[in-house]
Amino acid sequence: MKKPILSRVLGAVGLVLLATSAVTLFFGNTRFLVGKLVLAAACAAASFALGEAGGLRRFFTGRALHFGAVTAVSALALVVALGAANWIAYQRPKSWDLTKNRIFTLQEDTVRTLRALKTPVKALAVYRLDEEGYAQARALLERYAAVTPRFTFELVDPYKNPEKARAYGVLSSGPRILLLSGDQRAPASAADEQGVTNALVKVTRTAARKIYFLTGHGEPDLASQEPRGYGLLAKALTAEGYEVAPLSLPEQGRVPADAAVLVVAGARKALLPPELKLLDAYADQGGHLGLFLEPEADAGLDKLLARFGVQADDDVVVDPSPAAQLLGSPVSPIALPSGAHPISRELADTALVLPTARSLVALTQAGVTPTPLALTGSEAWGETDLKGVFERGQARRDEGEKGGPLPLAMAAEKPAAGEGQRPARLVAAGDSDFFTNQYLQLGGNRDFAMNALSWLAEQEDRITLRPRSREASLVLLTDAQATALKFLSVDVLPVGLLVLGLAVWMVRRSR
Amino acid sequence: MRSTLALAKKELQVYFTTPIAYAAFMVMAFFAAQFFTGALDAYRTFVVRVSGSEAQGVLEHLNLTDVVVSRLFASVGVFIVISAPFLSMRLLAEEKRGRTFELLMTSPVRPLQIVAGKYLAALVVMAVSVGIVALFPALLSLFAKGAQGGPAVEWQTVGTGLLGLLLLGAMCMAVGLFVSALTESVIVAALVSLIVLLGLWVVTLFTVGTEGPLRDLASGMSASEHLMPFLQGRIELKDVVYYLSFVALGLWLTDRAVEGHRWA
């Protein structure tokens, strides 16, 4: 081959290699990329060296060379400048939302919360890349991050990065977006603006978030993984940023000052008088109590309950409905959450299963009116013959026994007693088994328990943001109209353009 | 300025007296119409299917602008990328092949004016193309209405969508003009710009399943990713900067290529 021709071929090969390196870049292997670039450079150099001997020398001298060099340098400079402009536009997002309902604009409460951030907050979103919600979650978090540099986010693929997802206790079934700030963490109740903004409020509020569980009266063990243990619940609470600890009042001698919530769940023996006195004092100072009882077990909490207007009857709820039979036994009643309280509002359509429960009654004449959280169906009744049920396995509805719907869980709030005190809160339920390891995953049990405890810890969502969306539209097309529309758009329009083009072209040709 | 406009006018006369522009418009109209009627049919059958069941919540968020118009515009983006090379291929290559380029170069118009005139004409053709697509939401608004009595089609969102398509068209035309300046063959010009533009359109395919900076780089370079916010009704500064960067780069390089002819 003649040298000049060889030189041209090599030059072309070098150019092709250089141009296609852009694709090689995305294979993520630097060695391939570097190899290709080196090869391209070698081809170009060889082409130049061979060209020197041929007629290329003339081309590379004088004014043409000068022009080429100047052009190459200024093209490079322009590319760099444009790249920088794009990069800056990425770093400082600015957008104009022109939709009618401003559906891509964060609402005022959110913006205010973000502007008030004093510490950095990081959002961790666990989504598969190909998942439906991925793009939405990403877009939402990008809008948050655009408001303030203190808010950053990271998307974690649970399949590619399971350790990371697990380290934060984020499960595919649990919260998908978790907010972290310092050592505080709070999950978003949903992957929407209301969920994330409320989590943002929680994570920046440095309130005590410690939940104590009373021990020493035969309560299920917090650390236990046995069927009758609270291990799973403790784990779920830890994942949502709560601290969970057992509390033995006789040893401590007082309710710790950092207690956000004190839970008495499943006590089989009566509490001692000094313990009850401490609990009374705790309630007086605006304490938040969760009292979860059992039939046939008197923990001696009646007086304490009565202060909140709640009374637990000495019965066991029997539920003959088919649903209850399906899930266990006639003494594991099904209860539906009521929409009357923040704890149960969101759970209105998932039933709770409460194995062996007592029914609760709201006391009249009390200063506080409790709100029922969950009610049984109308077929259930409160069986007072406990011996008959538990020893002989018989139950019959007698005169004088209460019929359903029976409240099985209640919440009450007592106004603050004095200046600078917080209102006391109580959640009471006639059952403490429903959040043991064995039953936690049944129905709405887990969500109900978590909601009840977070309400007690004052971690309920306080900001309500109505999600904005486009107005729904109606299409009013008869089939004839639809066909006409199809005819207009698929047939008349393109054919019209074609005819127009043909006519113009023929007129031109005839001239 | 006057010579720029005169050049643009002459170029437009060529566009609208040869079949190529009409063919492009026809293809665009036909495929867009197919997509439009298909999406509308799917919408109607979906509404019928979920009506009466408990899916009231679904219907409350079902909006024609999102479901029909935005999807139509997204597919129109592909047609623009495919049709632009054929609309821009002859802009300069034809002049070179017909040896009229020397006449242009020796006339008292500066290279910049030549480039600006030709590009202006290309933009007008692109605007007509996009204008054809705007007919479909207009058709739709005759037959539908909002559930709360508002208009069925959100014109603000349709407007940003059209703006995005126009910017994409401007980018494609600038790239095509530059490629056309490099060769005498219109076929080569069309093919090369098609390869470049399609590559930019599907660049994210190379990084499917990867994460981190490479993926970000790919989506930052992708012409299709930058179109999405426009279709949803938002104008993002970064997207505008992206498209205008390509316009600026394409026009400047074309100017240099034309200038370079004096030296070669």
Side-chain angles (χ1 to χ4, degrees), chain B residues 169-230:
Chain B
M171 163 185 159
C172 293
M173 283 299 196
V175 171
L177 184 65
F178 170 56
V179 174
S180 178
L182 299 178
T183 170
E184 279 185 18
S185 154
V186 286
I187 301 297
V188 170
L191 280 177
V192 172
S193 26
L194 187 61
I195 289 169
V196 171
L197 291 172
L198 270 183
L200 281 168
W201 185 256
V202 299
V203 67
T204 43
L205 287 184
F206 298 126
T207 58
V208 162
T210 57
E211 271 182 281
L214 263 185
R215 186 189 167 94
D216 293 345
L217 179 70
S219 66
M221 279 172 61
S222 158
S224 48
E225 294 272 324
H226 283 282
L227 186 62
M228 285 308 139
F230 287 109

Side-chain angles (χ1 to χ4, degrees), chain B residues 139-150:
Chain B
L139 266 178
L140 194 56
S141 62
L142 298 176
F143 291 101
K145 64 176 178 52
Q148 281 123 45

Side-chain angles (χ1 to χ4, degrees), chain B residues 112 115-116 119 174 177-178 246-256:
Chain B
L112 188 65
V115 174
Y119 186 66
L177 184 65
F178 170 56
F246 272 97
V247 171
L249 188 65
L251 292 184
W252 187 82
L253 285 174
T254 312
D255 176 59
R256 291 293 85 194

Side-chain angles (χ1 to χ4, degrees), chain B:
Chain B
M1 191 69 210
R2 192 178 305 156
S3 42
T4 302
L5 284 178
L7 256 167
K9 203 169 156 189
K10 181 207 131 229
E11 202 62 46
L12 279 171
Q13 265 171 354
V14 176
Y15 261 123
F16 287 108
T17 48
T18 51
I20 177 85
Y22 294 101
F25 294 158
M26 189 199 98
V27 169
M28 169 81 88
F30 179 73
F31 281 106
Q34 287 287 5
F35 264 84
F36 170 69
T37 49
L40 195 59
D41 274 347
Y43 184 86
R44 287 176 65 220
T45 48
F46 181 75
V47 168
V48 171
R49 228 186 32 232
V50 298
S51 281
S53 68
E54 77 293 321
Q56 208 48 47
V58 179
L59 287 183
E60 275 170 24
H61 297 294
L62 217 53
N63 176 282
L64 280 172
T65 313
D66 274 336
V67 181
V68 177
V69 180
S70 294
R71 284 184 196 179
L72 167 70
F73 283 6
S75 57
V76 167
V78 186
F79 304 145
I80 285 179
V81 165
I82 291 173
S83 66
F86 295 97
L87 289 172
S88 62
M89 63 185 181
R90 38 153 301 277
L91 281 171
L92 287 161
E94 188 114 291
E95 303 264 15
K96 287 164 116 177
R97 203 184 46 179
R99 300 282 170 234
T100 47
F101 199 66
E102 280 71 19
L103 285 177
L104 256 186
M105 294 304 295
T106 49
S107 67
V109 266
R110 293 204 309 279
L112 188 65
Q113 288 173 323
I114 299 171
V115 174
K118 299 230 167 218
Y119 186 66
L120 206 60
L123 274 190
V124 171
V125 172
M126 196 36 89
V128 174
S129 247
V130 172
I132 290 173
V133 178
L135 290 173
F136 295 110
L139 266 178
L140 194 56
S141 62
L142 298 176
F143 291 101
K145 64 176 178 52
Q148 281 123 45
V153 180
E154 257 194 43
W155 287 107
Q156 297 96 317
T157 305
V158 172
T160 56
L162 291 172
L163 174 70
L165 290 176
L166 208 55
L167 280 168
L168 173 70
M171 163 185 159
C172 293
M173 283 299 196
V175 171
L177 184 65
F178 170 56
V179 174
S180 178
L182 299 178
T183 170
E184 279 185 18
S185 154
V186 286
I187 301 297
V188 170
L191 280 177
V192 172
S193 26
L194 187 61
I195 289 169
V196 171
L197 291 172
L198 270 183
L200 281 168
W201 185 256
V202 299
V203 67
T204 43
L205 287 184
F206 298 126
T207 58
V208 162
T210 57
E211 271 182 281
L214 263 185
R215 186 189 167 94
D216 293 345
L217 179 70
S219 66
M221 279 172 61
S222 158
S224 48
E225 294 272 324
H226 283 282
L227 186 62
M228 285 308 139
F230 287 109
L231 304 185
Q232 295 173 340
R234 320 177 268 171
I235 300 177
E236 296 257 3
L237 186 64
K238 65 174 171 32
D239 304 327
V240 178
V241 169
Y242 169 87
Y243 288 124
L244 292 184
S245 300
F246 272 97
V247 171
L249 188 65
L251 292 184
W252 187 82
L253 285 174
T254 312
D255 176 59
R256 291 293 85 194
V258 172
E259 182 74 35
H261 264 272
R262 299 188 178 184
W263 309 100

Side-chain angles (χ1 to χ4, degrees), chain A residues 226-384:
Chain A
E226 301 291 315
R228 188 181 180 264
Y230 287 151
L232 285 178
L233 179 81
K235 204 170 146 192
L237 285 168
T238 314
E240 299 215 352
Y242 296 99
E243 257 187 285
V244 185
L247 170 70
S248 163
L249 276 179
E251 280 178 39
Q252 290 276 337
R254 62 191 178 86
V255 178
D258 64 354
V261 182
L262 179 54
V263 177
V264 185
R268 297 259 160 212
K269 297 186 309 211
L271 275 65
L272 305 170
E275 290 182 301
L276 288 168
K277 202 177 279 177
L278 284 171
L279 291 189
D280 275 344
Y282 177 66
D284 283 345
Q285 288 153 14
H288 292 179
L289 287 158
L291 305 179
F292 300 92
L293 315 169
E294 275 300 315
E296 277 204 306
D298 182 14
L301 297 165
D302 295 353
K303 275 207 178 98
L304 190 56
L305 286 167
R307 298 175 65 172
F308 288 91
V310 179
Q311 178 189 313
D313 282 347
D314 190 15
D315 59 5
V316 57
V317 176
V318 178
D319 186 352
S321 70
Q325 310 290 332
L326 197 72
L327 284 160
S329 68
V331 287
S332 59
I334 303 281
L336 274 176
S338 76
H341 197 276
I343 291 177
S344 46
R345 194 169 296 147
E346 304 290 323
L347 310 171
D349 49 359
T350 45
L352 311 177
V353 184
L354 300 107
T356 64
R358 296 164 73 163
S359 63
L360 305 180
V361 186
L363 293 171
T364 47
Q365 313 298 332
V368 190
T369 316
T371 315
L373 299 177
L375 296 159
T376 64
S378 49
E379 297 163 33
W381 77 88
E383 178 62 56
T384 46

Side-chain angles (χ1 to χ4, degrees), chain A residues 123-484:
Chain A
L124 197 83
V126 179
Y127 279 93
R128 262 198 349 264
L129 285 177
D130 52 350
E131 222 173 327
E132 209 176 317
Y134 172 88
Q136 265 181 322
R138 191 188 179 101
L140 181 71
L141 292 172
E142 271 172 356
R143 288 203 278 283
Y144 276 76
V147 176
T148 169
R150 291 219 165 100
F151 187 97
T152 52
F153 67 91
E154 184 187 354
L155 285 136
V156 176
D157 188 327
Y159 288 83
K160 289 216 168 76
N161 211 334
E163 303 83 17
K164 193 155 197 166
R166 214 173 299 128
Y168 290 102
V170 185
L171 311 158
S172 56
S173 60
R176 307 294 299 276
I177 299 181
L178 189 69
L179 267 65
L180 312 159
S181 174
D183 54 358
Q184 295 274 342
R185 53 168 60 184
S189 51
D192 57 16
E193 190 179 345
Q194 174 163 341
V196 176
T197 300
N198 277 298
L200 193 63
V201 171
K202 287 176 204 172
V203 87
T204 47
R205 209 194 305 148
T206 49
R209 301 178 63 182
K210 200 156 179 181
I211 300 178
Y212 284 98
F213 281 73
L214 205 63
T215 58
H217 318 89
E219 294 94 343
D221 186 10
L222 264 184
S224 162
Q225 301 301 324
E226 301 291 315
R228 188 181 180 264
Y230 287 151
L232 285 178
L233 179 81
K235 204 170 146 192
L237 285 168
T238 314
E240 299 215 352
Y242 296 99
E243 257 187 285
V244 185
L247 170 70
S248 163
L249 276 179
E251 280 178 39
Q252 290 276 337
R254 62 191 178 86
V255 178
D258 64 354
V261 182
L262 179 54
V263 177
V264 185
R268 297 259 160 212
K269 297 186 309 211
L271 275 65
L272 305 170
E275 290 182 301
L276 288 168
K277 202 177 279 177
L278 284 171
L279 291 189
D280 275 344
Y282 177 66
D284 283 345
Q285 288 153 14
H288 292 179
L289 287 158
L291 305 179
F292 300 92
L293 315 169
E294 275 300 315
E296 277 204 306
D298 182 14
L301 297 165
D302 295 353
K303 275 207 178 98
L304 190 56
L305 286 167
R307 298 175 65 172
F308 288 91
V310 179
Q311 178 189 313
D313 282 347
D314 190 15
D315 59 5
V316 57
V317 176
V318 178
D319 186 352
S321 70
Q325 310 290 332
L326 197 72
L327 284 160
S329 68
V331 287
S332 59
I334 303 281
L336 274 176
S338 76
H341 197 276
I343 291 177
S344 46
R345 194 169 296 147
E346 304 290 323
L347 310 171
D349 49 359
T350 45
L352 311 177
V353 184
L354 300 107
T356 64
R358 296 164 73 163
S359 63
L360 305 180
V361 186
L363 293 171
T364 47
Q365 313 298 332
V368 190
T369 316
T371 315
L373 299 177
L375 296 159
T376 64
S378 49
E379 297 163 33
W381 77 88
E383 178 62 56
T384 46
D385 180 10
L386 297 176
K387 276 203 162 53
V389 172
F390 288 114
E391 287 169 22
R392 294 194 301 277
Q394 293 171 344
R396 211 182 58 238
R397 178 139 187 214
D398 306 307
E399 277 297 309
E401 286 178 342
K402 285 189 310 178
L406 299 165
L408 299 187
M410 286 185 167
E413 183 160 340
K414 224 164 115 171
E419 277 297 304
Q421 283 201 357
R422 56 179 193 169
R425 282 183 173 185
L426 167 92
V427 169
D431 176 49
S432 63
D433 298 326
F434 73 94
F435 52 92
T436 55
N437 300 337
Q438 189 179 353
Y439 298 107
L440 188 69
Q441 305 299 349
L442 270 185
N445 286 9
R446 180 181 187 274
D447 291 337
F448 184 82
M450 294 301 281
N451 281 10
L453 290 170
S454 52
W455 180 75
L456 284 172
E458 293 187 30
Q459 292 289 324
E460 72 270 25
D461 286 1
R462 297 201 178 163
I463 298 175
T464 43
L465 300 171
R466 287 210 33 236
R468 294 165 170 169
S469 62
R470 295 193 206 272
E471 188 185 344
S473 27
L474 309 165
V475 181
L476 320 155
L477 277 174
T478 60
D479 282 349
Q481 279 177 320
T483 315

